[in-house]
């Protein structure tokens, strides 16, 4: 479904992503794990068209998307929940959701908004509040609901657990599993390797811009090197 | 009684010039809100609008309505073209390059018009004529009424547009977080062009209203008007639309009251003193939100 082939991304002179190749197949949950600075977010931002790779290609549903602007990438059915949620703090919950459905018609959005509200009742309660007044967990729900408004085929989640209490982290991961069960393919970037590996089908381990390991998530969860480096054992 | 009626007519004057400052300040604030640029060419768009009115009424004898529409259309187009040609290529450049480019465009327009039409002022025949209103011994001119009413209507329309329409919401989203807005599928180029179009259309309206009270166009008319509107935008809190409206009226009123006190030579000084005080005491302006630099 998504094929990333030999991408190299630079920030000025800093070589952040070094020859990364990986793929996400229809119906999977794939996770990219690794420490801070390994290049995980850079990869997602390159896929969504915010950054450019100097080499290689990115193909989604058998079409090259690595030359497209972000709004065109989204229109192909690939949406991203950015790191740090990035909800529009000065806009209301409902306006945030409307922005998520920007590429769709008002009628489609009305239906999607009620879907999002039934999935996240907390958001329905706060629909007229500005997003800046929401808690971290609620903002994460809003960010996910907002990304769902575009009815993505593949959803990329960047550190959804960041800064959340353990109970909320579980809740967010449950929602990811539900979205997956409802038919959305998921590409998940996480520092919380334990959680990510426990829900993913396959995983890629990144270190300083390179993939150092890949395989079935269940197998990686048992791997000694992974356990010592990422699961703190 | 004489004092009161002077005061009253100065208040009306203040509202009238304040209306024009407010319309221009809105353009500054909208553009700053979306691409963090102090668009110093904004005042010169008013100058171009004024020349369009002059050309079409004095030279071609068009009906006032036609020349007004022409002024708005030309100003809007000019604003969008300037953004596309001069600012869009610099979108990922440092903000200083953008600012210098804006000043360059301003010089280009002022000196270009001076070259073509000469440095002298062009007198625009009265084109907004109608009955004035008498209240006791005071008179409110037709142009003052039109200016204030049109400005209030424009403000209401703009507020509706920004708060309720899809493009207006996209503008707010882009001004809050450009990257996240792109991830929503919002087309940055369209949204930024739309913002420039709105700001420049208001400048076009301001040029017509300006001519209705001052009656002449000159190549440098936009620079002082633009600067004062800039002060109004900063006073209100740059990036805030209600702030720009409030700031415009406060600046217009301050000028009028200084004149009413018989100190009209100090008018400009007072406006820039207000700028200095705002920057010292409350740099975010009356209605601006404290800003944190984006990382």
């Amino acid at each position: 479904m998504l094929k990333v082939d030999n991408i190299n991304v630079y920030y000025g002179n800093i070589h952040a992503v070094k020859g990364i190749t990986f793929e996400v197949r229809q119906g999977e949950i794939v996770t990219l794990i690794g420490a801070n600075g390994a290049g995980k977010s850079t990869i997602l931002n390159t896929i969504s068209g915010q950054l450019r790779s100097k080499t290689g290609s990115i193909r989604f549903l058998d079409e090259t998307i690595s030359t497209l602007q972000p709004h065109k990438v989204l229109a192909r059915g690939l949406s991203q929940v950015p790191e740090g949620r990035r909800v529009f703090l000065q806009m209301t919950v409902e306006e945030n959701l409307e922005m998520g459905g920007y590429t769709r018609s008002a009628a489609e959005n009305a239906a999607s908004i009620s879907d999002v509200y039934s999935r996240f009742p907390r958001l329905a309660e706060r629909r007229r509040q500005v997003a800046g007044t929401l808690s971290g967990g609620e903002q994460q729900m809003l960010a996910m609901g907002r990304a769902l408004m575009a009815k993505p085929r593949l959803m990329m989640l960047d550190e959804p657990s960041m800064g959340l209490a353990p109970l909320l982290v579980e809740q967010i991961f449950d929602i990811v599993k539900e979205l997956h069960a409802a038919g959305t393919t998921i590409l998940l970037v996480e520092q919380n390797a334990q959680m990510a590996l426990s829900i993913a089908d396959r995983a890629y381990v990144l270190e300083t811009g390179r993939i150092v390991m890949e395989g079935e998530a269940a197998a990686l969860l048992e791997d000694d090197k992974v356990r010592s480096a990422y699961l703190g054992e | 009684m004489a004092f009161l009626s002077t005061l009253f007519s100065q208040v009306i004057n203040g509202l009238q010039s304040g209306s024009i400052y407010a319309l221009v300040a809105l353009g500054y604030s909208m553009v700053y809100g979306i691409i963090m640029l102090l668009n110093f060419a904004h005042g010169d768009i008013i100058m171009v609008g004024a020349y369009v009115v002059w050309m079409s009424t004095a030279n071609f004898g068009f009906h006032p309505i036609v020349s007004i529409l022409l002024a708005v259309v030309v100003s809007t187009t000019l604003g969008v073209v300037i953004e596309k040609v001069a600012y869009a290529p610099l979108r990922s450049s440092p903000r200083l390059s953008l600012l210098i480019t804006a000043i360059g465009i301003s010089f280009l327009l002022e000196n270009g018009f001076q070259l073509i039409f000469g440095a002298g002022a062009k007198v625009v025949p009265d084109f907004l004529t109608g009955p004035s209103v008498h209240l006791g011994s005071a008179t409110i001119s037709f142009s003052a009424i039109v200016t204030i009413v049109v400005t209030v209507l424009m403000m209401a329309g703009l507020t509706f547009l920004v708060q309720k329409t899809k493009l207006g919401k996209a503008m707010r989203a882009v001004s809050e977080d450009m990257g996240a807005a792109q991830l929503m599928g919002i087309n940055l180029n369209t949204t930024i062009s739309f913002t420039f179009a709105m700001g420049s259309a208001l400048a076009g309206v301001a040029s017509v209203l300006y001519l209705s009270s001052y009656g002449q166009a000159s190549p440098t008319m936009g620079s002082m008007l633009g600067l004062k509107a800039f002060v109004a935008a900063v006073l209100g809190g740059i990036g805030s639309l209600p702030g720009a409206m409030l700031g415009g009226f406060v600046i217009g009123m301050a000028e009028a009251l200084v004149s009413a006190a018989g100190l009209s030579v100090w008018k400009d000084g007072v406006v820039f003193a207000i700028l200095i005080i705002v920057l010292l005491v409350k740099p975010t302006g009356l209605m601006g939100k404290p800003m944190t630099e984006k990382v």
Side-chain angles (χ1 to χ4, degrees):
Chain A
M1 187 178 208
L2 175 73
K3 284 199 163 89
V4 175
D5 184 28
N6 187 33
I7 58 168
N8 279 283
V9 187
Y10 295 79
Y11 294 109
N13 289 325
I14 300 164
H15 194 177
V17 168
K18 301 165 183 161
I20 294 281
T21 298
F22 72 96
E23 69 168 324
V24 181
R25 293 188 280 261
Q26 180 106 34
E28 282 189 313
I29 299 185
V30 171
T31 182
L32 307 179
I33 56 174
N36 208 356
K40 306 182 301 287
S41 297
T42 307
I43 294 172
L44 292 198
N45 291 340
T46 310
I47 297 172
S48 60
Q50 294 176 292
L51 296 172
R52 290 276 178 249
S53 168
K54 291 214 164 156
T55 60
S57 72
I58 302 169
R59 293 175 68 80
F60 181 63
L61 299 170
D62 292 321
E63 283 179 286
T64 301
I65 57 166
S66 34
T67 52
L68 298 180
Q69 296 224 302
H71 66 272
K72 295 265 169 71
V73 174
L74 180 94
R76 303 281 165 104
L78 209 168
S79 75
Q80 180 183 3
V81 181
E83 183 178 3
R85 327 189 217 294
R86 307 266 291 269
V87 293
F88 301 112
L89 299 172
Q90 294 165 36
M91 299 174 83
T92 66
V93 166
E94 189 140 321
E95 285 173 340
N96 268 276
L97 293 178
E98 284 170 24
M99 289 298 103
Y102 191 76
T103 53
R104 303 170 69 80
S105 74
E108 287 173 316
N109 279 340
S112 306
I113 286 179
S114 49
D115 284 353
V116 170
Y117 284 157
S118 59
R119 190 180 292 282
F120 304 103
R122 288 300 284 272
L123 297 183
E125 287 165 28
R126 296 169 196 271
R127 58 202 289 172
R128 305 258 171 260
Q129 268 175 248
V130 294
T133 62
L134 302 183
S135 71
E138 288 164 347
Q139 285 187 15
Q140 185 61 47
M141 289 176 197
L142 179 56
M144 291 167 72
R146 188 178 65 171
L148 283 175
M149 292 292 297
K151 293 266 182 249
R153 314 275 296 268
L154 191 156
M155 188 155 152
M156 302 193 289
L157 292 150
D158 196 346
E159 304 272 6
S161 73
M162 194 164 74
L164 298 184
L167 203 64
L168 277 169
V169 173
E170 296 233 12
Q171 213 179 331
I172 295 293
F173 275 86
D174 283 342
I175 294 165
V176 174
K177 279 191 276 186
E178 281 170 36
L179 295 178
H180 176 245
T184 314
T185 307
I186 307 270
L187 175 57
L188 172 67
V189 155
E190 260 297 343
Q191 280 193 65
N192 187 337
Q194 173 80 49
M195 280 306 260
L197 289 173
S198 69
I199 67 164
D201 299 305
R202 291 188 304 114
Y204 295 86
V205 181
L206 280 120
E207 254 169 43
T208 57
R210 288 199 171 82
I211 292 177
V212 292
M213 252 191 215
E214 60 181 274
E216 299 291 320
L220 286 174
L221 204 47
E222 299 304 321
D223 186 279
D224 288 341
K225 266 188 283 178
V226 174
R227 294 188 79 85
S228 67
Y230 301 102
L231 305 176
E233 289 177 18
Chain B
M1 252 344 259
F3 169 73
L4 273 186
S5 91
T6 313
L7 185 67
F8 179 76
S9 48
Q10 287 298 353
V11 167
I12 295 297
N13 282 342
L15 284 176
Q16 183 175 6
S17 55
S19 294
I20 296 170
Y21 292 144
L23 288 179
V24 182
L26 280 168
Y28 269 108
S29 243
M30 287 165 81
V31 165
Y32 185 83
I34 207 148
I35 57 169
M36 307 293 249
L37 162 70
L38 296 173
N39 182 14
F40 281 116
H42 190 59
D44 299 297
I45 290 182
I46 296 155
M47 179 271 291
V48 174
Y51 271 86
V52 172
V53 175
W54 166 70
M55 287 265 270
S56 48
T57 49
N59 286 18
F60 302 125
F62 288 159
H63 189 273
I65 300 288
V66 176
S67 32
I68 290 170
L69 288 177
L70 265 179
V72 175
V73 169
V74 170
S75 307
T76 308
T77 315
L78 180 65
V80 173
V81 168
I82 290 174
E83 193 277 325
K84 280 270 173 274
V85 173
Y87 304 152
L90 296 173
R91 205 161 288 157
S92 49
S93 312
R95 272 157 62 188
L96 189 59
S97 318
L98 209 56
L99 184 68
I100 293 168
T101 308
I103 295 171
I105 296 286
S106 166
F107 285 172
L108 179 75
L109 288 174
E110 283 178 27
N111 292 296
F113 270 68
Q114 192 158 335
L115 202 65
I116 300 169
F117 297 104
K122 305 291 181 196
V123 177
V124 179
D126 275 346
F127 62 100
L128 269 183
T129 44
S132 45
V133 172
H134 299 274
L135 284 174
S137 61
T139 309
I140 309 175
S141 70
F142 183 69
S143 77
I145 297 169
V146 171
T147 301
I148 295 165
V149 170
V150 167
T151 299
V152 170
L153 289 178
M154 287 284 152
M155 287 174 172
L158 183 71
T159 306
F160 173 80
L161 193 103
V162 170
Q163 291 300 323
K164 298 293 177 201
T165 68
K166 192 170 176 179
L167 262 172
K169 288 176 190 175
M171 269 174 60
R172 279 153 60 205
V174 171
S175 76
E176 194 177 323
D177 187 336
M178 198 178 267
Q182 276 187 298
L183 289 180
M184 303 299 106
I186 294 171
N187 183 335
L188 274 193
N189 292 328
T190 315
T191 312
I192 293 172
S193 292
F194 177 71
T195 307
F196 272 85
M198 287 298 103
S200 310
L202 293 177
V205 173
S207 73
V208 171
L209 298 176
Y210 177 90
L211 287 180
S212 79
S213 53
Y214 299 97
Q216 52 183 19
S218 73
T220 51
M221 64 180 273
S223 65
M224 187 52 98
L225 179 56
L227 273 179
K228 287 185 180 170
F230 167 67
V231 175
V234 172
L235 170 64
I238 193 138
S240 155
L241 301 189
M245 300 176 193
L246 177 69
F249 284 119
V250 172
I251 293 294
M253 206 55 89
E255 279 191 349
L257 294 181
V258 170
S259 304
L263 299 168
S264 56
V265 285
W266 287 89
K267 228 168 54 166
D268 297 350
V270 167
V271 172
F272 294 110
I274 291 176
L275 176 65
I276 293 170
I277 293 168
V278 171
L279 292 179
L280 286 175
V281 179
K282 199 168 187 303
T284 52
L286 296 174
M287 305 183 77
K289 298 195 174 62
M291 263 183 284
T292 43
E293 274 300 315
K294 277 181 208 159
V295 186

